[in-house]
Amino acid sequence: MQLLVSLHPNFANQRNGYYYVSFADAQKKQWFLKAYHQLLDTGIELAGMDMLNHFRYSQHKVQTAVDIKNEENGRVLMKMTVFFGNEEIALAELQKMLLAGQRAVLLKDNSLGILNDEWLQQYAAIIKHGKINKDEIEVAKSMAIIEQQVTKEKEVLKPLLKEQWWQKWQQWQNEDKIIYDVPDTLKAELRPYQRKGFEWLTLLAEAGAGACLADDMGLGKTLQTICYLAYHIHHNPKSINIIVCPSSLIYNWQQELQKFAPDISSIVYHGVNRNAEALEKAECQVIITSYGTIRGDAGVLLVRDYGVAVIDESHNIKNPSAQITTVVNMLHANIRIALSGTPVVNNTFDLYSQLHFAIPGMFGSREFFKREYADAIDRDNDEDKIKALQKLTAPFILRRTKEQVAKDLPQKTEMILWCNMNREQKNLYDEIKDQVRSNIFLGIKNNGLNKSKLAVLQGMMKLRQVCNSPLLLPEEERLGAKASVKTEVLLGELLNILKEHKVLVFSQFSSMLDLLAEECNNQEIKYYHFDGRTPPSKRAEMVNAFQDKDDTTNLFLISLKAGNTGLTLTAADYVFLFDPWWNTAVEQQAIDRTHRIGQTKNVFAYKIICKDTIEEKIIQLQQKKKKLAEDLIGEDDGFIKTLSEEEIAY
């Protein structure tokens, strides 16, 4: 009797000579299934199970046998058998059921074989992510790392990694003990969190896994990676390694290598004068190239086997369908490292290509990842899927914020400088706004919203140009307006601060930077200026000069998209964003050119916004479009795709 009473908390208060539980309570947390098997385990026979409509559970618990057959090239082949009693369940059918969210198998005797929580935690991810052929399943060896908390009797892949490695992994997570010595050839003093980052890269590499280092911008992802490269080259001096990055960062990587690891020989393969024959003959340990170059010269760069392949600003390959993503994934490398301060720009699916590069095959096909994780998380905010993806990715993505690890970094203050247009500029803005509104809604009425989104984008672009300066429009469209309130406000600020401070000014319009340069010439203000047209070597030259404490040019005009990533401009302590960008993450990247490790002064960042215009609306809509702690607004067209007709009217 005591056993029966202990089966459910409601039974203790029942004195009728029998025990009753409601249908709803019997369903909760699989109570009926657990009670049924508990009674069977104690030798108690249950009568009437064949008459039940809802709880026709099999008396047999799920059993699984695993035999590891082969381990090669980061993949593991296993024989796996799943059965209830004497009935074996085909792996392919089991995979379909799990992907459909089913937890019960209809057996030949019409009873239900239940896949309980313990079994699902132990085997579901392996079966979902595996390639199945009859009774064999192949998975990425890296999946062993997600079993770090699993007890010995529940482990499946964990024995693939040596006990010594697991001990170091535990030490890395729980202790400050040094696990790997920083190479003597490294000419830098690592901060504690940077040493942790280097050790994390080294640990994963020792396990045969790649990594995605996603530290906040300015925390030294480049230095941590160079430290690992120095370690790898010390142990593999004949290996050839490759760094792929945006063209604007090529010379930054070259200079950082020369500064922190001068013993490593490197070569830049980029530009119109690049020579494939010279590259072939060069005795170098690191090749530095750009995304555009590797796409154009795939035949030259993909024929080698690399020790380590690094992709910087890895969100450049977030689109799995893009040619550059395909080419980068064709690199042959023992270890792959992805670097990005913003790995998620638009949504969860952005992670797929970067993770697929770092740990090939572990996350399945892009269709599987989208269906299993991205859609469920972004569309449905499915908590179970969020937890499942976090469990899978946690060992391979390392992200630290400035607030966590660089508390000594000076304060960053962000403010908005509100501007009111003069009468001529405001009249021009209102006239164009009325034209745009009329044309857009006529187009939506005739062609529908989806077919009108290019017109929406063009209309918004024109309004934003007027906010910056009427001079950005063709002369015949200006209605006599010339003055720009933003330019006046910016110049007023610059004249006050340039004597004592260095300043960065960002705009997405290169033509606006040209106008600002012209105004600076009129005011005899010295400046540096680069945009997408500036050769990378010239950019590096200007950055070095600006960073020099003895340099007297205190102003840098920079294109937002050409110069918002990878550059270190800590000599500046003032940042002006001349026009708002759709994606706040891009704006933060621009600000973090100066608010990063090495900065010793407080940083002041200003957005210059025209009051009662589309710019004010953009800021408000940005906040509405945030999701999963990341801004869903990506490129211009990505932002437009998320707008409803009501928001366009707004």
Side-chain angles (χ1 to χ4, degrees), residues 41 189 272 335 371 397 439 450 456 463 588 595 624:
D41 290 343
E189 189 70 34
V272 293
I335 300 300
R371 182 180 63 249
I397 300 178
N439 292 339
N450 286 331
V456 174
L463 289 173
Q588 286 303 313
H595 191 246
K624 287 177 66 178

Side-chain angles (χ1 to χ4, degrees), residues 418 615-625 650:
W418 293 103
E615 293 188 329
E616 187 174 359
K617 304 292 187 185
I618 286 171
I619 290 175
Q620 294 165 357
L621 284 172
Q622 281 176 346
Q623 302 308 313
K624 287 177 66 178
K625 295 292 178 181
Y650 171 75

Side-chain angles (χ1 to χ4, degrees), residues 66 68 70-71 74-78 121-123 125-127 129-130 138-152 154-163 165-167 169-170 173 203-204 206-210 359-363 391-396:
V66 175
I68 294 176
N70 187 35
E71 177 195 337
R75 306 288 295 174
V76 180
L77 182 66
M78 301 175 286
Q121 289 177 7
Q122 191 172 2
Y123 296 106
I126 292 173
I127 294 174
H129 287 251
E138 185 183 77
V139 295
K141 178 186 174 183
S142 301
M143 288 196 75
I145 301 175
I146 69 174
E147 294 186 8
Q148 56 182 314
Q149 304 297 336
V150 172
T151 57
K152 192 168 184 66
K154 296 291 178 63
E155 61 191 25
V156 181
L157 300 171
K158 193 173 181 179
L160 292 169
L161 297 173
K162 295 177 181 178
E163 185 60 33
W165 185 89
W166 283 111
Q167 289 173 0
W169 184 249
Q170 287 298 120
Q173 294 179 85
L203 266 169
L204 287 178
E206 190 177 311
I359 315 134
M362 178 165 167
F363 294 91
K391 180 182 176 182
L392 280 170
T393 60
F396 310 105

Side-chain angles (χ1 to χ4, degrees), residues 572-584:
D573 54 344
Y574 278 79
V575 181
F576 291 90
L577 301 173
F578 199 80
D579 32 67
W581 187 252
W582 308 108
N583 187 345
T584 54

